[in-house]
Amino acid sequence: ETFLVKSKSAALMAEVVRSEGGLLLKSLIPELMNLAAQGPAPAEVAVQTLRWLPEEITVSGDDMSSDKKRVLLSALLESLPQVLPFLYRVLEQHFASYLASSKAASAAEAQLHGTVVAAVLDATFALADWAPVVSLMNSGLLHACAHLLTQPDFALKACEVIKAVSSRKQANEDCAAFQQAMMAVFEVLVGPMKALLESGYDRLHETELGLRMCETLGIWGHEHIGTLGDGQKLSVYLQEMLAVARHASYHVSNLTLTFWPAALRALGDRHKAVGRIGRPEGFLAALLEVAAAKIERNPRWGEGMYPDTEFDTYQEFREFHAIFRHKWMEIVKQATQQEPLTAIGVAGRHVEASLARMASAESDPSEGARLDASASLLQ
């Protein structure tokens, strides 16, 4: 069967269930499980059907009435204790077969099992927007995604699942259970990110996976850094975010700029609270050091010289850099309000170093840019 035929078959089955508002779902789940046991191609159809079932829940429109949507959502939530373990079993089985087939140099067989693994990741991504985070974590699927980040054929899809879950806000779930689940998501994410920073830091901007991992790390922190109650874990996380912010690529560094204001607010509030872990010592100084480098404007920039590996035209770069620099300056202001003496100390050291170099034979035209950046910090 071609992918198109299998996909259309799955979409058709899902549409029939949706048209009934989910009333057929309870009887369909066992049938899909039986279908999945018949081989890779039927398993792919079964999993794709589960992937398409929630389609109408998160899409606005008049194709399905609100009453039917509520019935479908209720039926889907009721089915999760069956569906999530089923997806995990299918993923485990076919990933093992994929590895075995790859080791045996059976490319066609490996591809069959690989498509099932990809289908499970697509189905998990479809659940990640609305299924309870605690249930998703307890299913083992997110830990499986963390493992699949090391597999080139599945890494991007696995990262998309983790990113979707990282962006979730607490809804009707128990607060303590939700925070515990999000801490587990943190553990799922921070380990692979550490490995990526150690092994491929200079190439982060060259791969889609590197960019998405950096984006996911920032999204998790933007929403959930307040749940990090362990000082060591907080320090590790901030060090990883500082490494991303420090990266030479403008596009990589830019992925942190939404995170820092939220982090500074959360950590500032915690710093004032009695008995709570606040900002790690030296963190704001390190952040301001990164900011000092990022707000520099190279006097040589122009039509003939700009980061042309990241931007198609100088005009595109100018527009990007104006916003980029402004956001960093806002972060500097926010950090300065929290630790004025630290900010003055960082800026003062940069001014002194720039003036000393300008007075020596080491001076070059870029020194003026560093002094300008230092002056901006002082302002």
Side-chain angles (χ1 to χ4, degrees):
E1 296 96 335
T2 65
F3 171 81
L4 184 60
V5 171
K6 288 184 285 187
S7 183
K8 283 190 173 181
S9 300
L12 181 60
M13 280 195 285
E15 178 59 32
V16 171
V17 174
R18 288 201 304 267
S19 68
E20 297 297 322
L23 297 177
L24 295 178
L25 183 58
K26 187 174 291 188
S27 60
L28 178 65
I29 298 298
E31 296 297 328
L32 292 177
M33 292 180 177
N34 291 333
L35 181 63
Q38 296 175 21
E44 186 184 356
V45 173
V47 171
Q48 282 191 350
T49 302
L50 293 173
R51 179 258 177 273
W52 288 114
L53 276 172
E55 183 75 4
E56 295 291 340
I57 291 178
T58 55
V59 176
S60 59
D62 299 324
D63 292 342
M64 178 181 286
S65 69
S66 57
D67 288 341
K68 282 193 173 182
K69 281 187 180 183
R70 282 193 293 270
V71 172
L72 176 59
L73 177 58
S74 176
L76 287 168
L77 287 170
E78 189 178 335
S79 72
L80 285 179
Q82 293 173 282
V83 168
L84 292 176
F86 165 67
L87 289 175
Y88 182 81
R89 288 195 303 271
V90 172
L91 178 63
E92 186 177 43
Q93 174 191 342
H94 287 277
F95 180 64
S97 298
Y98 165 84
L99 291 178
S101 300
S102 299
K103 188 175 181 180
S106 177
E109 190 72 15
Q111 184 177 6
L112 284 174
H113 293 291
T115 56
V116 181
V117 173
V120 172
L121 292 173
D122 286 338
T124 306
F125 179 75
L127 295 172
D129 278 340
W130 59 270
V133 173
V134 175
S135 299
L136 287 169
M137 179 52 66
N138 291 341
S139 72
L141 286 167
L142 295 182
H143 286 98
C145 285
H147 177 69
L148 291 175
L149 289 173
T150 64
Q151 299 292 320
D153 288 342
F154 311 115
L156 285 177
K157 287 182 180 291
C159 185
E160 285 299 302
V161 172
I162 298 171
K163 184 172 79 170
V165 176
S166 295
S167 68
R168 291 282 299 276
K169 293 178 171 62
Q170 183 185 340
N172 298 323
E173 297 183 70
D174 176 76
C175 179
F178 177 82
Q179 290 186 356
Q180 186 177 5
M182 277 304 174
M183 281 305 305
V185 176
F186 166 81
E187 299 290 352
V188 162
L189 176 62
V190 77
M193 190 66 206
K194 181 176 183 289
L196 183 63
L197 290 174
E198 290 176 350
S199 64
Y201 182 73
D202 292 338
R203 302 186 303 277
L204 281 177
H205 60 298
E206 297 176 359
T207 66
E208 189 66 26
L209 179 62
L211 291 170
R212 291 196 198 181
M213 285 287 289
C214 293
E215 182 184 12
T216 302
L217 189 72
I219 287 172
W220 186 93
H222 183 273
E223 299 296 338
H224 309 292
I225 192 170
T227 66
L228 272 174
D230 183 290
Q232 180 61 31
K233 290 179 179 179
L234 177 62
S235 179
V236 167
Y237 177 74
L238 291 173
Q239 286 172 20
E240 290 192 358
M241 286 301 298
L242 284 168
V244 176
R246 198 179 289 118
H247 197 275
S249 165
Y250 283 99
H251 289 309
V252 171
S253 182
N254 192 56
L255 293 172
T256 69
L257 292 185
T258 303
F259 162 74
W260 294 120
L264 288 170
R265 282 193 299 273
L267 295 177
D269 292 342
R270 284 167 49 150
H271 201 69
K272 298 173 186 175
V274 177
R276 296 200 66 188
I277 297 169
R279 296 184 297 271
E281 185 177 354
F283 158 63
L284 279 187
L287 179 60
L288 288 166
E289 290 286 353
V290 174
K294 296 303 176 183
I295 63 177
E296 282 187 18
R297 290 178 287 206
N298 192 326
R300 296 190 180 96
W301 283 338
E303 291 292 346
M305 181 181 175
Y306 64 94
D308 54 5
T309 57
E310 295 192 75
F311 302 92
D312 292 332
T313 66
Y314 176 57
Q315 182 62 28
E316 179 190 353
F317 170 64
R318 280 187 63 189
E319 293 173 359
F320 171 91
H321 190 263
I323 299 172
F324 178 82
R325 190 176 190 275
H326 173 74
K327 288 181 177 179
W328 272 114
M329 288 302 303
E330 291 300 309
I331 291 166
V332 168
K333 292 175 185 176
Q334 193 175 354
T336 301
Q337 289 173 354
Q338 295 186 6
E339 291 188 18
L341 294 180
T342 298
I344 291 171
V346 171
R349 287 195 297 274
H350 277 267
V351 170
E352 289 177 1
S354 294
L355 290 174
R357 283 192 294 266
M358 291 179 74
S360 72
E362 300 176 12
S363 180
D364 62 59
S366 63
E367 207 57 60
R370 296 191 185 98
L371 183 59
D372 174 65
S374 302
S376 295
L377 285 179
L378 283 172
Q379 290 172 0

